[in-house]
Amino acid sequence: MAKLLHYSSLTKKFIMAIAGLFLAVFLMVHLGINLFILPITENHVEIFEIAVHFMTSNPLIKVFEIVLFGGFLIHIIYGLILQIQNWMARPKRYKIEGFSHTSFFSKYMIHTAIIIFIFLVIHFINFYFVKLGFTEAPQGPNEVTNNHDFYNMVVNLFSTTWYAIMYIGLIIILGFHLNHAIQSAFQSLGLYHSKYTPFIKMVGTLYSIIIPLGFIIIPLYFLIN
Amino acid sequence: MDLTLKIWRQENAQARGKFETYKVTGISEDASFLEMLDILNESMVDKVQLPIAFDHDCREGICGMCSLYINGRPHGPDQGITVCQMHMRNFKDGSTIVIEPWRAKPFPVIKDLMIDRSAFDLIIQAGGYVSVHTGGVPDANSIPIKKEHAELAMDAAACIGCGACVATCKNASAMLFVSAKVSQMALLPQGKIEAARRVQKMVAEMDDLGFGNCTNTYACEAECPKDIKISNIARMNWQFLIAKVGAQKMNA
């Protein structure tokens, strides 16, 4: 642990960037499975359940799960350490500040990060801890048959209007975080090129819109129906 | 122009300090910002009051001494210039101007608006040099250098070390300064040889001095009076990564 703290600021940023990009890619995989909650094919529930079964029972995925949790943990811990160091670097604040032109979402990364962390905790209580048997499955119009029955858990949660609205709000915040995160990760890794950086920035912005939109469509579908 | 000035006054490094309000009248809009402060100081001397201490030297925008944080921006509202080059026409008659010193833990206030920027010297001392004697001026083209590299090195070398990047960064990070100094040498053959050692030493010193970490907000690039680009930061990040992965372990 002490060694982790003693890494240089740049090394911490590299690790943050790699972990962050890994988490961003995971979001795409997560969305790919989640979209089968919607009636996009005739047997969408079946496909969703097969995917859930694969994700909860495959031994390779079990290893991946540990890597994923590691990614979250590293990203969160280093994010906090770097933020605390940043606060300490300016013990006396300005009377007037924040008038310099900056990339907008970059100023609120710690704030969006805290909200996403709260979302993560709620997400764990509603799904992962249910799977492990620590918490009760969400109740609602559908009966949850077992602690792996994520389809009915999702239906129950998104049938609750306040939950669906809260979920949409939190996903939008995640989009704000991603908007700065992706191009920032490339900059931290030193991958800057006058020709390709504008492309990376564009892809990052598109990713931060498309992925949250994909997640938002699902509760929206339940809200409308 | 008649103006109200809210200026940070602090007797010495240990004192708490506070804002004092001053009125200045009849200022020409063609006067520079520092000339306006000179006029205020002269009137204070006439009244047997202690004048306001502020950093300045060449007043030509090249020495990097002036360091005023004006209305929430280092070097004031004008783009790409130091405060000594900024004229009063950038402000409206009757407006209130808040003047603060750079705020960062490694830049302690010496008195009023004067700050100690020795931290930058320590970073340069840690590795911002070529440690071998490179001889006299070589004949033109005796060492082939790509024009693109020569220009990028020259652009990086334009950094005057004023500290506006640190002042404006929400994290008080010195990455733009350090990366400019790393880049200006790493891009040229004479500096390339020690590039790996240099970047590690300078980053280590920057961290030890207590500067914050870069979160890529790019405020530094927006406020730099010499238009130093954030591509230098990426170059330094890459060099550091290559140095850490590929270079031999450093001696202490």
Side-chain angles (χ1 to χ4, degrees), chain B residues 178-214:
Chain B
V178 180
S179 67
K181 299 300 170 194
V182 163
S183 290
Q184 76 181 51
M185 275 176 272
L187 284 160
L188 299 178
Q190 293 92 336
K192 206 169 262 178
I193 297 155
E194 292 171 292
R197 187 184 66 95
R198 180 183 304 115
V199 69
Q200 291 180 79
K201 290 250 186 196
M202 288 175 82
V203 168
E205 186 67 30
M206 174 182 80
D207 288 348
D208 285 350
L209 288 162
F211 287 102
N213 307 293
C214 178

Side-chain angles (χ1 to χ4, degrees), chain A residues 93-169:
Chain A
R93 301 205 71 82
Y94 292 109
K95 184 181 170 73
I96 297 180
E97 62 184 355
F99 280 84
S100 300
H101 178 76
T102 54
S103 129
F104 180 76
F105 294 118
S106 68
K107 288 192 283 188
Y108 306 106
M109 289 305 270
I110 186 68
H111 310 94
T112 49
I114 290 166
I115 295 167
I116 294 165
F117 180 73
I118 294 166
F119 178 38
L120 198 68
V121 172
I122 296 170
H123 209 61
F124 267 52
I125 292 168
N126 288 332
F127 298 104
Y128 191 71
F129 290 165
V130 174
K131 188 186 92 172
L132 297 178
F134 296 155
T135 50
E136 288 287 312
Q139 300 302 311
N142 286 14
E143 195 192 334
V144 178
T145 51
N146 58 58
N147 61 357
H148 286 77
D149 186 5
F150 289 123
Y151 178 77
N152 285 320
M153 290 184 212
V154 172
V155 173
N156 285 347
L157 282 170
F158 286 160
S159 303
T160 317
T161 309
W162 70 264
Y163 184 90
I165 293 169
M166 180 190 76
Y167 183 91
I168 291 169

Side-chain angles (χ1 to χ4, degrees), chain A residues 9 86 89-90 95 100 184, chain B residues 100 103 105 168-169 213 216:
Chain A
S9 59
N86 292 346
R90 180 163 292 139
K95 184 181 170 73
S100 300
S184 176
Chain B
E100 299 174 72
R103 298 271 188 217
K105 191 178 153 211
T168 194
C169 175
N213 307 293
N216 305 323

Side-chain angles (χ1 to χ4, degrees), chain B residues 140-160:
Chain B
N141 302 324
S142 62
I143 306 171
I145 299 167
K146 271 189 187 174
K147 185 171 188 296
E148 180 198 340
H149 285 178
E151 284 185 352
L152 286 172
M154 196 61 212
D155 288 346
C159 170
I160 51 175

Side-chain angles (χ1 to χ4, degrees), chain A residues 1-8 11-12 15 74 77-78 81:
Chain A
M1 189 70 194
K3 200 179 173 189
L4 290 179
L5 286 170
H6 282 110
Y7 278 145
S8 80
T11 308
K12 287 194 203 102
I15 297 170
I74 286 169
I77 290 172
Y78 271 156
I81 292 170

Side-chain angles (χ1 to χ4, degrees), chain A residues 189-215:
Chain A
L189 291 167
L191 301 171
Y192 185 98
H193 193 283
S194 55
K195 224 191 306 181
Y196 305 116
T197 296
F199 176 72
I200 290 167
K201 285 188 176 177
M202 190 187 71
V203 169
T205 307
L206 281 176
Y207 197 85
S208 73
I209 296 168
I210 292 168
I211 296 289
L213 259 181
F215 278 106

